[in-house]
Amino acid sequence: MCCESVIGEIVAGVTEAVSSDDNPFLDDETGTWYWSAD
């Protein structure tokens, strides 16, 4: 679900559609989950 949210933000233009690595999920309280886009 977290990845689907990020994809939705990219498609909606909320998050810039560029390649990026090691982006933390803002709602991850443990700080162990990251996402990347290519």
Side-chain angles (χ1 to χ4, degrees):
M1 290 191 84
C2 292
C3 291
E4 288 177 359
S5 295
V6 171
I7 291 170
E9 291 175 2
I10 293 171
V11 170
V14 175
T15 301
E16 192 174 6
V18 296
S19 293
S20 59
D21 294 323
D22 299 327
N23 299 292
F25 287 100
L26 300 178
D27 60 349
D28 176 23
E29 296 176 6
T30 63
T32 56
W33 293 97
Y34 294 87
W35 64 270
S36 299
D38 191 21

